[in-house]
Amino acid sequence: MSTPRKAIVIGAGMVGLSTAWYLQERGFEVSVLDKTGVAAGSSWGNAGWLAPAKTIPLSDSSLWSYGPKALFNADSPLHMPLRVEPKLWEFLARFMAQAFESKWDSTMADLTAIDRVALAAFDEMELGGVTGISHEGPFVIGFENEEQSRGFAREVAGVVRYGQIAEMSRLENPQELAPMLSSEVSVAYRLEGQRFIEPGPYVAAVAADVEKRGGLIRTGVEVTHVAAGARPAVILADGSREEADKVVIATGAWLPKLAREYGVKTLVQAGRGYSFSVATDIPAQHPVYLPHHRMACTPYQGRFRIAGTMEFRGPDEPLQQRRITAIVNQASRLMRGIDFAERQDEWVGSRPVTPDGRPLLGETKAKDIYVAGGHGMWGMVLGPASGKYLAELMDTGQTNPIIKPFNPLR
């Protein structure tokens, strides 16, 4: 019998752990290293949406009217601090350069193939032993008036145009499925075919199955460098060196620190999201999305998680309490039966955003060193499919057409 090939995956979020799981499916012996812990980054506090119909380019033409007014307003859903930071301004320039209909169409065309297989990858993992549960919708999409709904309708039409199914129907009574919505939300739709999870517990379930299959997960371990060679190696903060046949860098918003020297030049900017959980008078049963206010809400461990904002800052900067307050101020008007003073689980997480809205999946210039990241807001829903097709590439040397547009050397 041949000796199993060894792979080291750096990063214990959804993307890294899914890659580890699918590598095990292909016979690899896997170690996962993480500086902090399982689901310690953006995999923990997000909305947990598995919504391919909403997995779309972040940069669109509406930014030219909305962005300039909102970007430097600390209370707006989209925010960037006004300060001298060349990399941040470079990212903004490239991000805005994508805010045209033709660019949106091009990125959407590239995302559609992986969107269409995203939920099947969750099914494979759950059938294969992962004990996490993904829940069916419907999702409730709410607006204060018809005008607010037009942008969302255009996005859904774009998704359908590229071959996805996004079944929507009008709700005569928005409070029927989402009793926490106030009378300010007068227009609502029911979106079918999407799922949701409790993200932290689900990622922990993936980690548990990786370990059950013989994988090693080590937390509190900082990788300071990835060394190329006949066999790639990771260099740890204590100076020790560990070799493997393959190494995967899946460190989210921190990916450039380890990958840039191997030809991964695409900018990865922390697009920070905030969330907290609240109790509701009537238990929440369905996810709720308020697109105009960029609020994504999900049933979470008997409570209601409210997540939102896109804040371009450094990934290690502290939580900005003003951002939480801005969400509360809007939610207090749009929701009822909630004591917002009794918030729990306040959180900020750094989502890895690329300017062109495409992930980074594939081999670097260094043989047997790979990257998996840059999913922006969509790492949760695309994580398992990304791991599946990256594992296929690492095993066979062949790039599946589904991930070909996400070449990290582009």
Side-chain angles (χ1 to χ4, degrees), residues 65-100:
S65 57
Y66 168 80
K69 294 181 290 185
L71 195 60
F72 303 113
N73 178 355
D75 296 325
S76 74
L78 176 67
H79 174 62
M80 187 180 92
L82 186 59
R83 62 191 183 195
V84 178
E85 191 170 328
K87 282 291 184 185
L88 193 55
W89 286 99
E90 181 184 358
F91 169 81
L92 179 61
R94 295 189 181 189
F95 187 72
M96 292 300 294
Q98 297 291 316
F100 295 94

Side-chain angles (χ1 to χ4, degrees), residues 58-339:
L58 293 178
S59 184
D60 63 59
S61 57
S62 69
L63 283 177
W64 290 108
S65 57
Y66 168 80
K69 294 181 290 185
L71 195 60
F72 303 113
N73 178 355
D75 296 325
S76 74
L78 176 67
H79 174 62
M80 187 180 92
L82 186 59
R83 62 191 183 195
V84 178
E85 191 170 328
K87 282 291 184 185
L88 193 55
W89 286 99
E90 181 184 358
F91 169 81
L92 179 61
R94 295 189 181 189
F95 187 72
M96 292 300 294
Q98 297 291 316
F100 295 94
E101 187 173 348
S102 61
K103 299 285 189 180
W104 192 97
D105 284 346
S106 175
T107 302
M108 189 69 246
D110 289 342
L111 287 172
T112 295
I114 196 167
D115 285 353
R116 294 177 69 174
V117 299
L119 297 183
F122 279 88
D123 293 338
E124 288 178 355
M125 291 174 66
E126 291 169 18
L127 289 171
V130 173
T131 58
I133 300 172
S134 55
H135 306 276
E136 298 287 342
F139 283 42
V140 177
I141 318 298
F143 308 90
E144 294 171 77
N145 52 56
E146 295 286 355
E147 177 65 27
Q148 286 184 3
S149 70
R150 290 174 184 168
F152 184 80
R154 283 194 299 272
E155 291 177 354
V156 171
V159 167
V160 171
R161 188 168 67 248
Y162 282 96
Q164 291 194 60
I165 297 172
E167 182 184 339
M168 283 211 317
S169 57
R170 183 75 173 253
L171 282 172
E172 293 303 320
N173 177 12
Q175 289 75 29
E176 179 182 355
L177 293 180
M180 74 292 297
L181 291 177
S182 75
S183 59
E184 294 291 321
V185 180
S186 61
V187 177
Y189 293 85
R190 174 183 179 132
L191 177 63
E192 306 285 0
Q194 319 302 305
R195 304 183 200 171
F196 65 97
I197 58 175
E198 294 182 349
Y202 196 101
V203 175
V206 179
D209 203 55
V210 168
E211 290 185 308
K212 183 179 178 181
R213 293 159 151 234
L216 180 64
I217 297 178
R218 295 166 56 195
T219 59
V221 178
E222 182 180 2
V223 176
T224 58
H225 183 64
V226 178
R231 293 185 85 214
V234 296
I235 312 302
L236 307 183
D238 63 6
S240 61
R241 174 188 177 96
E242 297 183 15
E243 292 187 352
D245 298 295
K246 312 277 185 180
V247 172
V248 181
I249 302 169
T251 51
W254 296 267
L255 185 146
K257 292 182 180 180
L258 298 177
R260 182 164 290 276
E261 69 175 291
Y262 298 123
V264 182
K265 304 301 185 184
T266 298
L267 294 175
V268 178
Q269 171 61 44
R272 300 181 352 142
Y274 286 76
S275 72
F276 53 85
S277 71
V278 292
T280 55
D281 283 355
I282 301 174
Q285 300 295 324
H286 305 289
V288 174
Y289 184 37
L290 302 172
H292 186 73
H293 303 283
R294 272 65 172 181
M295 269 188 271
C297 313
T298 317
Y300 176 76
Q301 298 188 343
R303 293 170 66 82
F304 196 50
R305 173 171 281 176
I306 300 176
T309 84
M310 175 64 74
E311 178 190 48
F312 295 136
R313 279 183 182 268
D316 295 310
E317 293 189 44
L319 180 148
Q320 305 294 307
Q321 193 62 44
R322 183 171 180 175
R323 305 294 292 161
I324 296 283
T325 301
I327 298 173
V328 169
N329 289 341
Q330 289 294 344
S332 298
R333 184 173 61 83
L334 301 170
M335 299 180 190
R336 62 186 182 181
I338 296 173
D339 182 357

Side-chain angles (χ1 to χ4, degrees), residues 5 7 18-20 22-28 245-249 264 359-373 384-409:
R5 293 165 293 174
S18 296
T19 303
Y22 274 105
L23 284 168
Q24 290 177 314
E25 287 283 277
R26 291 180 171 272
F28 280 83
D245 298 295
K246 312 277 185 180
V247 172
V248 181
I249 302 169
V264 182
L360 301 167
L361 295 170
E363 192 171 21
T364 69
K365 285 184 176 179
K367 186 176 183 297
D368 295 325
I369 297 176
Y370 300 79
V371 296
S386 295
K388 175 179 179 175
Y389 293 107
L390 182 61
E392 177 186 322
L393 168 61
M394 294 169 67
D395 181 31
T396 68
Q398 301 300 310
T399 301
N400 192 291
I402 287 174
I403 64 168
K404 193 171 183 180
F406 312 140
N407 184 344
L409 302 180

